[in-house]
Amino acid sequence: MYERRLWTAEMRYILDNKCSIQNNDYFLQKAKSLFPKLQKTVVFPQSNPQELLKNEIFSRTDSEEPLGTGESLLLDFGDHQVGYLTLKLGYTGSHPDAPVWLRVRFAERLQELKEDVNAYHGWISKGWIQSEELHIDVLPTVLNLPRRYAFRYVLIEVLDISSKFRLTVREAFCTAVSSAMREKLQPYHGSPEDEALDQIACRTLHECMQTVFEDGPKRDRRLWIGDLRLQALVNYETYRQNDMVKSCLYLFAGSTLPDGRVSACIFLEPEIEADDTVMFDYSLFFIATLRDYYNATGDRDTVRELYPTALRQWELAQQNFDDNDVIRDSDQLGWCFVDWDLHLNKQASAQGIYLYCTRALLDMTRMLNLHTQTGESPFPSADDLEKNLQRKTEAAKTYFFDKLAGVFVSGESRQISYASQVWMVLGGAADGSVLDAVERIPQAHRMVTPYMYHHYIEALLQADRTEKAFEVLRRYWGGMAREGADTFWELYNPENPSESPYGGSIVNSYCHAWSCGPAYFLRKYVMGKIA
Ligand code: RAM
C-alpha cells in the first residue's frame, strides 16, 4: 500500500518548489455571484427503526430510555442527510455531579459503526472519520454540534457518567442543507427497478449539491473537476441548476497554477484557492465540461470568456507527447487519474482522454468561429486542431493497439485494461470491438469506481451496445442498491466489498457525486424509449 507521503508528493505540481496560485478576480467574482442559496430542512430520526433492533451491538434505539456508562443510543434519520446535529439532553436521578463523557459517531452506512476507528492506519487523514468526543458539564442542555456531517445514522455512546444520574436524549434533529431545489427536479418514469436507481442517484446528487458541486459531503467536501463533469451531466437531466455549473467553471478558471493550468480541485475556505494537485486528465476535463455546459445551455458568452482557459489546458497537454505523438508514460503516482486503482497503467487511457477532449475543443472552436472572424488569431484554427487530432489518433492505433489480442495495451508492461479500451472508444480511436474483446481476456484489469463505470457505460452507448450498457448499469449500480445504499458510493467492487484505495474503508465516502450517473443514463437514453 502506498504511503501518504509518496502519493501527495508525487501528485503535486510545484514550480521552483514554491507554488503560487494565480487568481483572476473578475472570474472569481463572477463565480461567487452565482453561488446558490442553501436550502435548510429540519429532519427528525425515525421513531421506531425496527430494522436496527436486530443489530444487537447497539444497545438502544429508543431515546426514551436513560443511558448509563457503556450504553449507547442509535438514531436513524431514515435517509442520507448532510447537515448539523442538535441534541436536547437531560438526566434522571440526582443532580449531575460530574461531566458526561460522550462519543458521537456519524455514519452514512450502518456498517461504518461496526468498524474500529483506531484500526485505521491508512494514508489519508484520520481527520475525515466522523467521530467526536465531548464533555457535557451542565444538564439539561441543547447541544449544537458545530461541524457539518454526512450521515444517516448517529451513534451516541456514553463513555462515562457518574453513578448518581443517567443521561436522557430528549430530542434529536438534523438541520439538513443542500442547494438542490426539490421543486426543480424533473420527473422520471421507468420500471420500479430503474426508478429506484434513479431515486438513489438523484439523492446522491442532491446531497453533493452544496455551495459548489462537492465530490462527497463526508470526504473531500470540495470541488473536483472529474466529479464536476459527471455531476453537471446529471444536473442537466434532473435539477437543471445550470448556474451552479457555470459558477464552478468560473472557479476553476479563476484560480489556476502559475502557467494557467487548471487544478484538479478547488478549496472555498478561508479563501477560494486552487489546490496544488494537478492531474493530466483532470485539467483536460475543463474543456469537456465547458463544451457540455454549452450543449446544455447554449450560453455562448460563457464559452467565449472561458475558451482561452480551455485552450490553455490543451496547449499544456502537448508537453506530455513525444515526437511520435504518443503520450509519455509516467511512474509518478497520480499523474493521470482515470480510476482509483494504483496498479492501473494510465498511458493508453491518457491518450484516449486527450483525443476526447480535443474533440470537445474542436466543437467549441467551430461554434465560436474565432479564427475566421478575426483574421489573425492567437487561437489555433479548427483545421489545426483536426490535423493534431488525426496525427494523435493514428499514433494511438499504431503504438497502443495489439493486433493479436485485438485490444489496446498500456505502458511498458503492455497492461490490458477496460479503462484503455473505454477511453480509446470515447476518443474516437476505436470501435466497440475492443469492448467485446476485452471481456474475453480474464486477466484484463477491471474497474473499481462508479466513475470509471460511468465512462464504460458511455463507451458502450457510443459503440451501439445499448442493451449491454444498461445490463451493466443495472447490475453494477443495482448491486449497491441491493446492499441497501441510500446514496451511491465512491467505490464499489462487487468482488471486494471492502475495497479502499486509502488503506481502510472507514474513510471511504458512501455518497459520492461521480456515482450519480444512472439518473443521467436512464433519463437520457431509456425514459420514453425502449431499452
Ligand atoms: C478522491 C476524491 C474525488 C476524486 C479525486 C481524484 O479522493 O474524493 O472524488 O476526484 O480523488
Side-chain angles (χ1 to χ4, degrees), residues 89-91 95-96 98-100 135-142 165 167:
L89 302 175
Y91 68 94
H95 189 286
V100 184
H135 291 79
I136 313 294
D137 291 303
V138 179
L139 286 171
T141 191
V142 178
F165 70 102
L167 182 77

Side-chain angles (χ1 to χ4, degrees), residues 456-457 460-461 465-474:
Y456 180 40
I457 306 284
L460 288 167
L461 289 170
R465 278 138 177 88
T466 310
E467 207 176 301
K468 170 89 185 169
F470 284 97
E471 180 219 307
V472 173
L473 183 144
R474 290 178 182 118

Side-chain angles (χ1 to χ4, degrees), residues 11 215-216 219-220 224-227 279 282 337 340 490 502 512 514:
M11 258 171 87
D215 59 334
R219 210 216 77 247
D220 300 327
W224 285 83
I225 204 155
D227 307 67
M279 296 186 282
Y282 270 36
F337 179 66
W340 243 136
E490 175 183 21
Y502 310 117
H512 216 71
W514 68 21

Side-chain angles (χ1 to χ4, degrees), residues 267-282:
F267 299 102
L268 289 191
E269 286 174 323
E271 299 293 335
I272 297 169
E273 190 173 32
D275 189 5
D276 56 11
T277 298
V278 293
M279 296 186 282
F280 176 80
D281 46 352
Y282 270 36

Side-chain angles (χ1 to χ4, degrees), residues 359-397:
R359 286 172 190 281
L361 188 65
L362 198 50
D363 288 350
M364 290 188 287
T365 306
R366 288 206 184 101
M367 184 276 288
L368 290 175
N369 204 14
L370 292 173
H371 200 260
T372 50
Q373 260 174 24
T374 52
E376 264 181 44
S377 163
F379 303 123
S381 66
D383 277 358
D384 297 336
L385 292 177
E386 285 263 28
K387 281 184 197 132
N388 181 295
L389 184 62
Q390 270 168 21
R391 280 202 317 274
K392 291 192 164 59
T393 306
E394 278 317 306
K397 293 179 189 167

Side-chain angles (χ1 to χ4, degrees), residues 179-214:
S179 56
M181 293 155 85
R182 274 168 214 271
E183 64 278 15
K184 290 206 163 196
L185 181 60
Q186 304 299 305
Y188 174 74
H189 306 291
S191 68
E193 188 202 10
D194 287 354
E195 282 186 8
L197 294 179
D198 177 78
Q199 192 264 319
I200 302 171
C202 289
R203 184 73 190 167
T204 308
L205 181 62
H206 176 278
E207 298 294 88
C208 295
M209 285 170 76
Q210 299 293 330
T211 303
V212 293
F213 284 100
E214 292 185 8

